[in-house]
Structure formats: C-alpha cells, structure tokens
Amino acid sequence: MVSSYGYMNHQSDQYYIARVLAGETNAFSFLVARYQNLVYTVVYRVVRNREVAEEVAQDTFIKAYKSLSSYRGEAKFSTWLYTIAYRKSLDAIKKEKHVMSTTLIEEISEGEVGLVNDALSNLQAKERKKIISDSIMQLPEDEAVIVTLYYFEEKSIKEITKIVGLTMDNVKIKLFRSRKKLYSMLKHHILPEINSNNGRAI
C-alpha cells in the first residue's frame, strides 16, 4: 500500500500549488523538498557564500509562498521559482557590494574539448562533479547561473531568458563564451600534459 506521503510526493507542481491556494499550507513543503537543492545551487553560484546562499534560498521560498497566488502558470513553476532566486541573489550581491569576477577567455580547440570530455569520463562521478562545480564557480556569476540552468537543469534558452532577464541573443552569446571558459578551466584541472605543451595536445 502506498502511503499518502508517497502518493503526494509524485504529484505535479500544479497539484501542490492548487492545494496551497485552497488553504492547505502544508502542501508547500512538498515544493520546497522538490526544489530546495536546485534553488540553493543556483543561488550559491551567484553569491559565492554558503551562509548567504542558505539565507537567500530561504527568502526565495518565503517570497514564492507569499506570491503564489500571482503565479499564472505561463512558465514552468521551476522557471518562475528560479527567477525569484536569481533576483534575490543579485540583491544580496548589491547589498554586499560584491564585484562580479572576470575570467580571461583562453582559446581552446574542439580537439582539446574532446580530450577534456574523455578525461572527465574516466573520473569517478563524485570527483567529476567536484571539478566541474569548482570550475563553474570561477565563471562570472551571471554566466555560472546560465551554465547551471542550461546544462544541469536542462532549461531551454527561452526559459533562461525569463529567469535572468536577458535577450535570447545575449543568453546564447554568454552560453557560448562561458562554455569556452569552462572547458579552458577544466583543461587546466585535468590535462596537465596539454598545459605543459603550451596548450597543444600531444
């Protein structure tokens, strides 16, 4: 017999939203459980501080709960939620007067991209995840979020434009540039034999 919790835990976002709006406030906890890790990841990629990220993630869900009646379902709930998280993250940066980091783009050939992918595939999943996460954290905050949403949350370009408030062309450009930067950083992490040959593969 499936418990009522197990049954509810597999319902759609819209199901929980309807329950909350009908006065069943506890149903919101299912949405929090479903998205808390992903919201924290998006926020942390912007604010770069664990304590601040936890606070902003919490504020995101409070804001989402209070604003739930204004959610019209025109975008996915996750897209709407990440938009709140991203804006609150930018507010936190402004409060801390944090300056966005910049990373020099190093040219990387498609052949080197293939070598990086091969090297990544040979790593243990945990180690691979850490190296990629560490490299993403070296990207400027807006690019780190775009990469996270596109490659890890599998958001479309259109959805990302809603979240970060940029045009589709801008998102595409940032995605292209950040991918090059990311592979360049990954190359330095895992391919020392390429680095020691002035960026040329052996």
Side-chain angles (χ1 to χ4, degrees):
M1 179 179 173
V2 179
S3 69
S4 59
Y5 177 86
Y7 170 73
M8 283 191 70
N9 203 31
H10 289 89
Q11 295 298 314
S12 68
D13 293 342
Q14 201 58 50
Y15 172 85
Y16 300 121
I17 291 165
R19 297 286 285 261
V20 174
L21 294 177
E24 195 177 322
T25 55
N26 286 344
F28 192 73
S29 64
F30 290 91
L31 293 170
V32 174
R34 180 171 285 175
Y35 290 108
Q36 61 186 353
N37 289 338
L38 305 178
V39 165
Y40 175 83
T41 298
V42 169
V43 172
Y44 182 64
R45 296 263 155 90
V46 179
V47 301
R48 313 288 165 101
N49 177 291
R50 295 193 184 282
E51 287 181 11
V52 174
E54 285 173 7
E55 189 178 319
V56 172
Q58 189 173 15
D59 287 346
T60 295
F61 283 110
I62 291 170
K63 167 78 172 175
Y65 177 76
K66 290 179 176 176
S67 306
L68 201 57
S69 60
S70 68
Y71 172 64
R72 295 284 174 259
E74 291 155 0
K76 288 180 185 173
F77 175 73
S78 58
T79 300
W80 182 75
L81 186 62
Y82 292 147
T83 304
I84 296 172
Y86 184 65
R87 287 175 184 167
K88 284 203 162 289
S89 299
L90 293 182
D91 288 343
I93 284 178
K94 286 174 190 170
K95 197 185 293 183
E96 296 290 326
K97 295 182 179 174
H98 181 75
V99 180
M100 283 196 170
S101 58
T102 54
T103 306
L104 290 173
I105 301 176
E106 179 185 317
E107 286 301 313
I108 182 166
S109 69
E110 285 303 314
E112 287 174 337
V113 166
L115 287 170
V116 170
N117 281 331
D118 288 345
L120 283 172
S121 67
N122 289 328
L123 296 174
Q124 294 289 333
K126 189 175 180 182
E127 187 181 1
R128 181 167 61 243
K129 185 178 179 182
K130 184 180 187 309
I131 287 174
I132 292 173
S133 294
D134 288 348
S135 296
I136 288 174
M137 291 301 289
Q138 294 177 55
L139 292 171
E141 288 86 340
D142 57 339
E143 292 181 18
V145 168
I146 289 170
V147 165
T148 300
L149 292 170
Y150 188 76
Y151 289 108
F152 295 91
E153 303 305 311
E154 297 182 351
K155 290 290 180 189
S156 67
I157 300 287
K158 188 176 179 181
E159 287 172 318
I160 293 171
T161 62
K162 291 177 182 175
I163 294 169
V164 300
L166 295 172
T167 65
M168 288 184 77
D169 283 344
N170 275 340
V171 169
K172 286 175 184 175
I173 289 166
K174 283 182 178 290
L175 196 56
F176 176 75
R177 284 168 53 191
S178 56
R179 181 178 176 271
K180 285 182 72 174
K181 290 180 189 177
L182 188 58
Y183 271 105
S184 177
M185 286 181 281
L186 287 169
K187 183 182 81 170
H188 283 279
H189 267 302
I190 60 177
L191 294 175
E193 71 277 8
I194 288 180
N195 304 328
S196 61
N197 283 274
N198 298 316
R200 301 292 178 191
I202 296 172

